[in-house]
Amino acid sequence: YPGITLGSVVSGGLFVYSLKGEHKYDFSLPKGSLWTSEWSNTGEYISMGASMSSWLIDLRTNKKVQIFTGKSDVFAQAFDQQGVLLFNGSRDGHIRTVDLRMSRAHRIFPNGSHADMLKMSNSVCDLKILQDENYLLASSFDGDLSLWDWRISRKIRNFSGNENSRNLNSMLKISVNFLEKIIYAGGQDGYVKIFNLKSGELLDALGPFQEPVPQFGLWETRGTSFRTDGIWIMDKCDPRFFYSREQ
């Protein structure tokens, strides 16, 4: 979808511009702060993770509906590829799955629109839905990094070795490479840990950097007989490329 979302924690507003800089949408929260936002791959919805609630915006009608989150702040969100499921990761450690098809007529989505909730060990700071949409990767403030089969509410793999702390400044992100073989996880200890997604093995640790790395830029190069990808990392405003890997 040809646009980007920009949010303000202070004002609780969300502003949407096209890539040409044209102002498209402007949404504000009734109260509280905006922590995160996500755009569905279908281009139909924008979600907002906010104080004590989550909001869904239907861009076809400009209507905004509130989603039940147990009155817990929402720090991380992810849509499935079809744009019919929304995952909300909250301060209380729960990941609530909302089936948007079951809630079209409701202003506040009832508990019945939620699939079984997943429970992390601490507040959720990032979510990634994989290409096989049965699996969800989640990280929490205490360094817990886990792969879930959300259909059966079962944690199927832990990735040990990531460091994080329990404060709002440690909402560090995770990334998955294009072939979904590698996980990159930023830690409060200034390292970026690299895990094998299939086995859970810690493959490498980049750093230490001067400060914790909040997120990364991914890239990919293909040739006739090779395929490589890697990450860009910002260290004190100095962009450095640190890791590449032939697949």
Side-chain angles (χ1 to χ4, degrees):
Y1 196 83
I4 56 176
T5 60
L6 301 174
S8 169
V9 172
V10 176
S11 65
L14 183 127
F15 314 96
V16 183
Y17 293 86
S18 71
L19 295 178
K20 296 180 180 180
E22 301 169 339
H23 182 265
K24 294 293 185 180
Y25 306 101
D26 189 349
F27 301 99
S28 59
L29 297 172
K31 60 181 180 179
S33 299
L34 174 67
W35 294 108
T36 186
S37 62
E38 192 72 19
W39 205 317
S40 69
N41 288 336
T42 62
E44 297 179 7
Y45 299 107
I46 291 177
S47 62
M48 296 189 294
S51 299
M52 301 178 65
S53 67
S54 174
W55 294 83
L56 185 75
I57 302 165
D58 188 332
L59 295 177
R60 298 163 300 180
T61 62
N62 283 352
K63 290 184 177 179
K64 181 174 63 179
V65 293
Q66 188 177 10
I67 299 173
F68 171 82
T69 63
K71 295 185 178 180
S72 182
D73 297 346
V74 174
F75 293 147
Q77 296 179 311
F79 283 98
D80 72 335
Q81 296 296 323
Q82 285 75 40
V84 297
L85 296 175
L86 173 63
F87 299 87
N88 284 311
S90 301
R91 184 191 290 271
D92 61 8
H94 284 105
I95 302 170
R96 295 173 172 88
T97 309
V98 183
D99 189 334
L100 306 182
R101 295 166 297 186
M102 298 175 62
S103 310
R104 303 248 181 217
H106 299 276
R107 181 176 182 275
I108 299 180
F109 290 0
N111 295 345
S113 66
H114 288 269
D116 292 336
M117 291 187 293
L118 313 179
K119 183 67 170 70
M120 295 289 285
S121 58
N122 204 272
S123 301
V124 181
C125 57
D126 203 10
L127 296 172
K128 291 287 184 293
I129 187 79
L130 300 185
Q131 292 175 20
D132 182 343
E133 297 183 341
N134 298 319
Y135 300 104
L136 179 72
L137 190 64
S139 65
S140 64
F141 278 43
D142 60 357
D144 184 12
L145 180 56
S146 305
L147 183 66
W148 293 81
D149 186 333
W150 65 266
R151 300 166 302 172
I152 56 176
S153 301
R154 180 182 176 186
K155 184 185 294 188
I156 61 173
R157 189 165 298 121
N158 272 344
F159 303 88
S160 301
N162 196 36
E163 298 287 339
N164 212 345
S165 61
R166 305 183 184 190
N167 61 72
L168 291 180
N169 294 324
S170 63
M171 283 200 288
L172 304 178
K173 301 301 181 181
I174 52 178
S175 293
V176 180
N177 78 331
F178 297 99
L179 292 179
E180 295 197 338
K181 295 182 177 181
I182 303 296
I183 302 171
Y184 304 103
Q188 198 68 27
D189 57 359
Y191 283 89
V192 175
K193 304 293 174 60
I194 302 170
F195 297 93
N196 184 304
L197 178 59
K198 303 301 180 185
S199 69
E201 178 188 1
L202 177 62
L203 300 176
D204 206 348
L206 308 180
F209 299 101
Q210 297 183 53
E211 294 182 349
V213 179
Q215 55 189 342
F216 331 95
L218 300 182
W219 68 273
E220 180 184 41
T221 301
R222 300 189 189 191
T224 55
S225 60
F226 70 93
R227 182 174 183 171
T228 62
D229 62 27
I231 56 173
W232 283 97
I233 297 175
M234 294 290 292
D235 184 26
K236 280 285 189 180
C237 299
D238 179 20
R240 303 179 184 179
F241 173 68
F242 276 95
Y243 193 80
S244 66
R245 179 180 186 89
E246 186 169 317
Q247 307 290 347

